[in-house]
C-alpha cells in the first residue's frame, strides 16, 4: 500500500520491473482523489492517468468499503499487475458481505436506470453520481442511469455500448485530472 502521490514517483520501476514482465503485483493506492487537509502535494489526482497508460495493468476503484474488500480479493487472485485506488478518510458505512467473491475483471454494475442521461462513475464518485441522479429526478424530471464502472482499465465496453445506444447524453464522473483518466478512456473508446 502506498499513497497515490508517492507511487507516481516510481512510474519507471512499475513499468520496467512489473508491467513489462506482467508480474502478479498488487498496488493498493491510498489517498486516491482529493485528500483535503493533507494538502495540495498529496492529492491523488494523477493515478488513474499514469496507471492506465501502463501495459498489462488492470486499474480499478471501489465505490465503498464492501466493494473494496471484493477488489482486494480480486487483486489477490489476478495473475498479473493490478491496482486499486481508494480515498483518504472514513468509509461510507456500507454493510460488509461475508463471504465475499471476486469481481469479474472489467465489469461494471448498473446502480439506477433512467432514459435521459447516462452517468458513468468510477470509485467513490459513484456516491456523488447517485446524489446527482436523485436531485435531477426530483427537481428537473431528468431520469438517469448511473453505472458504477469499477474499472478504468479494462472498461466494460459491452455495457457502455449497450447503454449509449439507448441514452442520448453521457457524462463521466471521477476524481482525477481530465487528461488520460477515466473520462479520457471512455472518450477514446
Amino acid at each position: 500500500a502506498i499513497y497515490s502521490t508517492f507511487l507516481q514517483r516510481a512510474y519507471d520501476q512499475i513499468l520496467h520491473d512489473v508491467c513489462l514482465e506482467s508480474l502478479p503485483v498488487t498496488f493498493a493506492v491510498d489517498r486516491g482523489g482529493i485528500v483535503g487537509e493533507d494538502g495540495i502535494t498529496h492529492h491523488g489526482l494523477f493515478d488513474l492517468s499514469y496507471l492506465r497508460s501502463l501495459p498489462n495493468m488492470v486499474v480499478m476503484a471501489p465505490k465503498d468499503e464492501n466493494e473494496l474488500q471484493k477488489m482486494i480479493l480480486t487483486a489477490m487472485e489476478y495473475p498479473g499487475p493490478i491496482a486499486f485506488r481508494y480515498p483518504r478518510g472514513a468509509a461510507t458505512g456500507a454493510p460488509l458481505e461475508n463471504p465475499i467473491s471476486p469481481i469479474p475483471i472489467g465489469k461494471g454494475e448498473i446502480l439506477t436506470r433512467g432514459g435521459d442521461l447516462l452517468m458513468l462513475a468510477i470509485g467513490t464518485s459513484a456516491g456523488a453520481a447517485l446524489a446527482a441522479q436523485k436531485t435531477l429526478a426530483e427537481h428537473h424530471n431528468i431520469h438517469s442511469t448511473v453505472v458504477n464502472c469499477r474499472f478504468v482499465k479494462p472498461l466494460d465496453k459491452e455495457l457502455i455500448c449497450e447503454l449509449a445506444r439507448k441514452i442520448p447524453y453521457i457524462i463521466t464522473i471521477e476524481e482525477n485530472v481530465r487528461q488520460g483518466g477515466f473520462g479520457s478512456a471512455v472518450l477514446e473508446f
Side-chain angles (χ1 to χ4, degrees):
I2 185 168
Y3 283 20
S4 168
T5 188
F6 299 156
L7 184 62
Q8 69 196 25
R9 300 169 191 175
Y11 183 86
D12 189 56
Q13 287 80 14
I14 300 166
L15 172 63
H16 288 283
D17 300 335
V18 176
C19 291
L20 290 179
E21 304 296 326
S22 200
L23 296 177
V25 176
T26 297
F27 296 93
V29 184
D30 189 12
R31 285 167 166 71
I34 298 170
V35 297
E37 61 193 38
D38 282 357
I40 191 169
T41 60
H42 286 58
H43 290 318
L45 299 176
F46 299 95
D47 51 32
L48 298 181
S49 299
Y50 69 74
L51 290 171
R52 188 173 80 86
S53 71
L54 294 167
N56 303 315
M57 177 68 81
V58 170
V59 183
M60 53 189 174
K63 73 179 185 295
D64 58 32
E65 60 270 30
N66 185 55
E67 196 162 76
L68 175 59
Q69 72 173 354
K70 291 179 178 185
M71 286 185 179
I72 292 169
L73 179 60
T74 302
M76 290 172 29
E77 294 181 357
Y78 188 70
I82 192 166
F84 57 90
R85 67 106 77 142
Y86 52 93
R88 173 189 189 269
T92 64
L96 299 178
E97 293 175 23
N98 186 13
I100 61 171
S101 56
I103 298 169
I105 299 294
K107 292 298 176 190
E109 69 172 336
I110 297 173
L111 301 176
T112 66
R113 289 192 180 268
D116 300 320
L117 176 65
L118 174 56
M119 294 185 197
L120 302 173
I122 190 73
T124 57
S125 295
L130 288 171
Q133 176 270 333
K134 184 177 178 183
T135 299
L136 288 170
E138 290 175 0
H139 299 290
H140 304 286
N141 200 31
I142 297 172
H143 302 284
S144 307
T145 293
V146 175
V147 177
N148 171 26
C149 288
R150 301 194 282 206
F151 291 85
V152 174
K153 181 182 173 189
L155 290 174
D156 190 339
K157 295 177 179 180
E158 183 179 316
L159 179 61
I160 292 170
C161 278
E162 173 191 328
L163 295 169
R165 284 187 191 99
K166 302 173 190 172
I167 302 170
Y169 302 101
I170 303 170
I171 64 169
T172 60
I173 306 164
E174 66 186 302
E175 279 189 35
N176 192 75
V177 294
R178 284 179 53 179
Q179 300 84 0
F182 172 65
S184 291
V186 172
L187 189 60
E188 289 166 17
F189 167 61

